[in-house]
Amino acid sequence: MRVLVVEDQHDIAANIWDFLERRGHVVDHAADGESGLARALAGANDVIVLDLGLPRLDGLDLCRRLREAGHGVPVLMLTARDTLDDKLRGFAEGADDYMVKPFAMKELEVRIRALHRRGRPTNGPTLAVGDLVYDEQSLRATRAGKTVALTRAQSRLLSELVRAAPAVVSHASLLRAIWGEEGGDTAALHTHVYELRALIDKPFAHAMIQTVHGLGYRLVAAP
């Protein structure tokens, strides 16, 4: 895999670089947010490991700009900010996973591999519900002809909802779809759903993503 590490602490960056290179990965490094964003936009990276407390441009702002530019490369945020609110904000800005310092290198690589595995394009079909069309190969959706670029987590979430529509998809099924068997937390899931609704529903009069309280979510076509 090609891994971009955006980290301003030299010793941490060097340790990640050495460990991943010994495991056969190709590693690039940026020491501040501005150069990290430039490399993220220009490079063909498989996964980005992103610190938050960066000089010149904060990691959260970097991630948001990357998503606004339409890039869906998986992002693993790596930070000392460990509160639930910090994690939820990270997911809201487009992160796919979140690790708190200090961390084990072996776990970091496992998470990177999981993000890459779940993020690889497939030769899957184009799925449609009403005026919403989702292309599993490009990881893009269109609604009423308007193209929507999705993060990897948003893509997996939408894929589950489209395939099951109009049936309800449980919270547990959506958690597994986004984070695999290692799981995630329900608060982070709700954040991803909120962000997906902002892309799929907010610009339109009819909301397709519906909450089924106590069970999960479902996707219904516009009347």
Side-chain angles (χ1 to χ4, degrees):
M1 288 180 291
R2 298 183 60 88
V3 181
L4 172 62
V5 179
V6 188
E7 169 64 67
D8 65 321
Q9 296 186 46
H10 177 75
D11 56 341
I12 294 178
N15 287 339
I16 295 174
W17 186 308
D18 290 344
F19 182 85
L20 292 180
E21 278 204 331
R22 288 198 304 270
R23 306 285 287 183
H25 307 297
V26 177
V27 184
D28 191 12
H29 172 242
D32 64 79
E34 289 287 355
S35 59
L37 179 61
R39 294 189 185 193
L41 292 172
N45 303 292
D46 295 309
V47 178
I48 296 175
V49 177
L50 177 63
D51 185 34
L52 296 191
L54 296 167
R56 298 182 66 197
L57 181 67
D58 184 81
L60 289 170
D61 294 326
L62 188 162
C63 192
R64 183 179 66 254
R65 293 189 190 183
L66 187 66
R67 298 315 188 203
E68 289 174 348
H71 283 255
V73 58
V75 173
L76 188 157
M77 287 186 173
L78 191 65
T79 177
R81 306 175 190 176
D82 61 354
T83 70
L84 178 58
D85 286 343
D86 289 328
K87 294 178 182 180
L88 294 181
R89 187 179 177 196
F91 288 128
E93 297 295 0
D96 295 278
D97 201 356
Y98 196 107
M99 285 187 70
V100 176
K101 299 175 182 177
F103 58 92
M105 288 292 178
K106 288 184 178 180
E107 182 182 358
L108 176 65
E109 192 205 13
V110 167
R111 289 182 181 235
I112 289 173
R113 286 187 180 278
L115 287 177
H116 181 233
R117 183 173 61 251
R118 297 198 300 269
R120 284 179 295 184
T122 65
N123 295 319
T126 297
L127 307 171
V129 176
D131 61 356
L132 175 67
V133 179
Y134 172 60
D135 186 334
E136 290 194 311
Q137 185 168 4
S138 68
L139 304 183
R140 288 180 177 270
T142 60
R143 182 171 180 189
K146 179 180 178 181
T147 301
V148 179
L150 305 170
T151 67
R152 302 293 181 178
Q154 291 165 355
S155 296
R156 293 190 292 271
L157 178 59
L158 183 59
S159 177
E160 291 295 307
L161 291 172
V162 171
R163 285 180 174 277
V168 178
V169 184
S170 69
H171 293 130
S173 295
L174 293 174
L175 287 169
R176 285 194 299 271
I178 297 175
W179 289 287
E181 292 303 323
E182 60 267 31
D185 60 76
T186 305
L189 171 63
H190 293 330
T191 301
H192 282 306
V193 172
Y194 175 84
E195 295 299 320
L196 184 60
R197 278 174 163 157
L199 297 171
I200 299 298
D201 285 340
K202 191 173 181 180
F204 301 93
H206 173 74
M208 298 184 68
I209 302 174
Q210 296 183 353
T211 300
V212 181
H213 293 288
L215 296 176
Y217 298 93
R218 66 180 178 181
L219 188 73
V220 295

